[in-house]
């Protein structure tokens, strides 16, 4: 089977002009079919402060009220998404910027209001493989921001790690799928302050041990949970580390296995 790379980039990478330029060059150079998925929480928070809209979070997760959803849509689907697309076009990569509402690409269910009401936040339910495959078949690279919809006219703020895992899983029967979570660290570190403490390979049992030891905690937990869920859904491999890993042949990042 052909290989499909699904690559997710986060806020700190997007905010670093040198890092994002290098990443986009590497991404554009990938010859295989590829999908880019991005967040962008730092810009949204900055815009909210400028507009005097309170930034509310519980356990690191954003509460998305009406005003916050407007800001997220402007930041994610507007400024960040269209700038990434324009820069990829400049590098010879025919990219198309999308939300999950476009082409009914990613349909979500609004998150339960209990025990916490997160507002306009959704969890992916279905991925429109047919539509996305049409784009890939015509040499178009989808660039998704982390906004989906409920099928009834409502946009929903959606976790970009979860979107990436679900999109990659949806194509696992048609491709050898590879999921990459790119961020500012070398990978999963035993000591977050020591870059040389990289853990190169983690299986599910090792993960449970690291979690019980609090080596893996906080924001890394949902990323790891999404990674193992993707592997259980027949995604071929999951990688976490610096953006350079998407074209590197070394193993200087973290690879997850079941």
């Amino acid at each position: 089977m052909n290989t499909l790379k699904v690559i997710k980039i986060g806020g700190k990478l997007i905010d670093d002009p040198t890092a994002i330029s290098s990443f986009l060059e590497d991404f554009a150079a990938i010859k295989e079919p590829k999908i880019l998925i991005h967040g962008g929480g730092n810009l949204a928070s900055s815009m909210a402060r400028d507009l005097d809209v309170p930034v509310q979070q519980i356990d690191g997760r954003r509460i998305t009220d009406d005003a916050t959803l407007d800001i997220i849509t402007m930041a994610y689907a507007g400024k960040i998404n269209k700038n990434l697309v324009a820069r990829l076009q400049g590098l010879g990569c025919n990219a198309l910027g999308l939300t999950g509402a476009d082409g009914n690409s990613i349909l979500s269910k609004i998150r339960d209001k209990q025990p916490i009401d997160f507002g306009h936040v959704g969890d992916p339910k279905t991925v429109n493989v047919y539509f996305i495959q049409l784009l890939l078949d015509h040499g178009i690279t989808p660039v998704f921001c982390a906004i989906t919809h409920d099928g009834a006219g409502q946009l929903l703020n959606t976790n970009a790690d979860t979107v990436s895992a679900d999109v990659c899983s949806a194509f696992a029967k048609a491709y050898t799928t590879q999921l990459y979570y790119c961020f500012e660290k070398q990978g999963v570190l035993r000591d977050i302050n020591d870059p040389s403490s990289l853990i190169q390979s983690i299986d599910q049992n090792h993960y449970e041990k690291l979690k019980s030891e609090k080596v893996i905690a906080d924001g890394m937990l949902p990323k790891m949970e999404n990674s193992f869920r993707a592997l259980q859904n027949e995604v071929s491999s999951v990688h976490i580390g610096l953006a350079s890993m998407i074209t590197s042949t070394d193993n200087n990042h973290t690879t997850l296995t079941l």
Side-chain angles (χ1 to χ4, degrees):
M1 289 193 293
N2 291 333
T3 298
L4 172 69
K5 294 179 185 287
V6 176
I7 300 169
K8 185 261 177 175
I9 55 174
K12 289 184 179 178
L13 174 56
I14 293 170
D15 292 339
D16 184 326
T18 302
I20 192 62
S21 292
S22 177
F23 167 78
L24 290 173
E25 289 176 7
D26 288 345
F27 181 82
I30 294 171
K31 301 303 182 188
E32 301 98 333
K34 53 190 182 285
I35 298 171
L36 179 60
I37 297 167
H38 67 84
N42 294 336
L43 176 62
S45 297
S46 174
M47 288 175 65
R49 287 190 294 270
D50 291 344
L51 295 168
D52 292 325
V53 173
V55 176
Q56 305 172 71
Q57 291 188 333
I58 297 176
D59 296 330
R61 296 186 175 185
R62 190 188 301 271
I63 303 295
T64 307
D65 58 13
D66 290 347
T68 302
L69 182 64
D70 286 345
I71 290 168
I72 285 171
T73 303
M74 288 187 285
Y76 293 10
K79 183 177 176 60
I80 295 173
N81 188 270
K82 298 314 171 192
N83 273 281
L84 290 173
V85 167
R87 294 178 71 177
L88 286 170
Q89 294 290 357
L91 293 165
C93 175
N94 190 8
L96 178 66
L98 300 161
T99 70
D102 297 295
N104 193 29
S105 303
I106 306 166
L107 185 68
S108 288
K109 177 183 180 296
I110 193 163
R111 188 170 295 169
D112 290 340
K113 304 296 184 182
Q114 300 295 330
I116 299 168
D117 183 357
F118 283 98
H120 302 301
V121 170
D123 298 306
K125 191 166 64 172
T126 60
V127 175
N128 189 343
V129 172
Y130 175 78
F131 170 71
I132 299 171
Q133 186 65 59
L134 281 177
L135 300 178
L136 296 173
D137 287 345
H138 287 83
I140 298 170
T141 296
V143 178
F144 283 103
C145 66
I147 295 174
T148 60
H149 76 129
D150 68 352
Q154 180 64 57
L155 293 175
L156 296 169
N157 183 16
T158 307
N159 181 276
D161 289 345
T162 305
V163 170
S164 304
D166 281 44
V167 169
C168 200
S169 297
F171 283 90
K173 288 189 176 5
Y175 291 89
T176 298
T177 46
Q178 299 173 347
L179 176 58
Y180 293 83
Y181 287 120
C182 301
F183 74 145
E184 69 278 2
K185 302 285 187 185
Q186 197 77 44
V188 180
L189 305 177
R190 184 165 287 280
D191 177 355
I192 197 166
N193 298 311
D194 180 6
S196 68
S197 66
L198 173 69
I199 306 172
Q200 288 186 310
S201 180
I202 301 175
D203 63 20
Q204 192 123 32
N205 289 334
H206 191 194
Y207 166 59
E208 295 299 337
K209 184 172 184 292
L210 292 169
K211 187 165 65 170
S212 69
E213 295 170 349
K214 306 294 186 189
V215 171
I216 295 176
D218 304 323
M220 185 57 74
L221 287 171
K223 196 182 300 291
M224 298 293 285
E225 294 291 345
N226 278 307
S227 297
F228 284 112
R229 183 169 59 83
L231 289 169
Q232 288 158 2
N233 288 326
E234 300 183 37
V235 167
S236 300
S237 61
V238 181
H239 311 269
I240 299 174
L242 296 172
S244 56
M245 69 179 169
I246 66 170
T247 55
S248 176
T249 55
D250 64 32
N251 193 32
N252 203 21
H253 61 270
T254 300
T255 298
L256 304 183
T257 57
L258 288 177

